[in-house]
Amino acid sequence: MSERIALLRRDAQEEASRFPALLARAEHLAGTVLLGEHGRRRAGMGDDFWQYRPLRPGDTYRSIDWRRSGRGDEQFVREREWQIAQSVQLWVDGGASMRFASDKDLPSKAERARLVALATAILLIRGGERVGFTGWSLPPRNGDVQILRLAEALSEDGGEEYSEPEARGMIPHARALFVSDFLGDLDPVEAALTKAADRGVRGVLCQVLDPSEESFPFKGRTVFESVGGTLAHETLKASDLRDRYLDRLHARKDRLAQLSRLTGWQYLCHHTSDSAQSALLWVYRAMDGGHG
């Protein structure tokens, strides 16, 4: 029993240590990017009424419009344009496939994805934006406390091999950032982007890949096994699979780029062997209305 408690304590300490480490790296990375004048923070803009919407988790009772809510049984919030325009929602893939790294000197895809996403959030929040997750777990808010919440949540791993984009709770006319290796089924990605586009949401797809996933350097007898251990394939001549694999990867990247164009999003393929700063600069400029 005491041994089990000791193991649980060790695991908890390891999990806890990841959160401040990620935050420190993201703060440092964000600090390398100079914040210019933010286009959304202009006095007198964005105060116009936009719409009524149902009360959602994370809303305060002070935000309820009681006159509109009094017409029926449902409670409504009076949402203004600035509240919509300054909302940014993140989805960062927590699936097991993201924990892959081909070399001990390279970060895993998950480490790089979380770092870029959190550093982007820090820059946006300090530029006056409200940042949160898609879905209902962590609605967009501003302030340093929200940065801590994001860092803590991003330090958690998911259990599935590949995770699907969370497209619930997309705020109309907000912006979004999806970060993943996008090596799972792309149909849920297409569905999420379509849903986002229908709500006027624009954003960035950031595909994070390990360099070995682009070059396929394998030869001879090789056993390919997924990080989560649910998939395995053995071959005696790995090099024979190279051309087919690269063709399928190229087709997948083309589909992601095409989906982005059709829905008004932007697409970036980033490799963990490249600098995190290059990805952050590209994503931040794209999120701020520019182009990478």
Side-chain angles (χ1 to χ4, degrees):
M1 186 66 176
S2 60
E3 183 180 351
R4 183 170 178 271
I5 293 174
L7 288 173
L8 288 172
R9 183 180 291 118
R10 185 199 66 188
D11 291 344
Q13 289 172 343
E14 287 178 356
E15 279 295 315
S17 69
R18 294 168 58 192
F19 158 43
L22 170 62
L23 181 59
R25 291 197 303 270
E27 290 272 11
H28 176 75
L29 180 59
T32 66
V33 177
L34 295 177
L35 275 173
E37 181 182 358
H38 202 278
R40 291 285 183 186
R41 302 193 72 188
R42 296 176 185 166
M45 287 189 66
D47 290 331
D48 295 334
F49 167 72
W50 186 271
Q51 66 178 6
Y52 291 112
R53 64 165 174 78
L55 185 71
R56 292 195 297 244
D59 291 327
T60 64
Y61 281 101
R62 288 185 302 172
S63 65
I64 296 174
D65 188 286
W66 294 107
R67 180 177 297 179
R68 173 63 181 85
S69 301
R71 299 177 193 170
D73 296 330
E74 193 171 8
Q75 294 173 326
F76 287 88
V77 169
R78 184 181 176 92
E79 199 163 45
R80 297 184 181 277
E81 185 179 6
W82 70 269
Q83 291 175 307
I84 296 170
Q86 289 190 339
S87 292
V88 180
Q89 295 179 281
L90 311 176
W91 173 72
V92 182
D93 190 342
S97 72
M98 294 293 289
R99 300 198 286 273
F100 174 70
S102 62
D103 189 283
K104 62 179 178 61
D105 294 324
L106 289 175
S108 69
K109 292 181 289 184
E111 289 171 328
R112 179 57 55 85
R114 291 163 173 168
L115 177 61
V116 170
L118 184 57
T120 301
I122 290 170
L123 289 175
L124 291 170
I125 286 174
R126 292 186 176 162
E129 308 283 19
R130 301 186 310 164
V131 182
F133 291 139
T134 56
W136 312 116
S137 63
L138 188 58
R141 295 189 180 94
N142 53 23
D144 289 341
V145 173
Q146 182 73 346
I147 292 174
L148 292 174
R149 294 191 189 106
L150 290 166
E152 185 174 15
L154 285 171
S155 298
E156 299 174 1
D157 290 327
E160 64 273 34
E161 194 73 59
Y162 301 101
S163 66
E164 299 178 357
E166 171 61 88
R168 294 176 302 169
M170 298 293 282
I171 301 172
H173 306 283
R175 284 168 293 158
L177 171 62
F178 288 1
V179 192
S180 171
D181 57 11
F182 295 109
L183 295 181
D185 183 6
L186 287 185
D187 287 344
V189 179
E190 181 173 359
L193 288 187
T194 301
K195 185 174 182 179
D198 288 344
R199 308 209 77 186
V201 176
R202 298 292 181 266
V204 172
L205 283 186
C206 180
Q207 184 178 30
V208 178
L209 295 176
D210 185 276
S212 69
E213 293 173 326
E214 285 275 18
S215 61
F216 200 82
F218 310 104
K219 298 179 180 179
R221 181 179 179 275
T222 306
V223 178
F224 298 100
E225 186 175 8
S226 63
V227 177
T230 60
L231 303 170
H233 176 75
E234 181 177 356
T235 179
L236 296 178
K237 289 187 176 181
S239 57
D240 289 350
L241 301 176
R242 187 173 188 273
D243 288 343
R244 277 184 292 166
Y245 167 83
L246 292 178
D247 286 344
R248 292 183 67 177
L249 179 63
H250 183 70
R252 177 172 291 263
K253 292 167 68 176
D254 277 351
R255 184 179 173 191
L256 288 168
Q258 184 180 29
L259 285 173
S260 298
R261 287 193 298 270
L262 290 173
T263 53
W265 285 46
Q266 297 187 58
Y267 166 72
L268 170 69
C269 182
H270 171 71
H271 303 123
T272 56
S273 54
D274 296 332
S275 73
Q277 186 185 50
S278 65
L280 174 61
L281 282 168
W282 195 100
V283 169
Y284 178 65
R285 288 169 181 166
M287 295 292 290
D288 205 35
H291 296 271

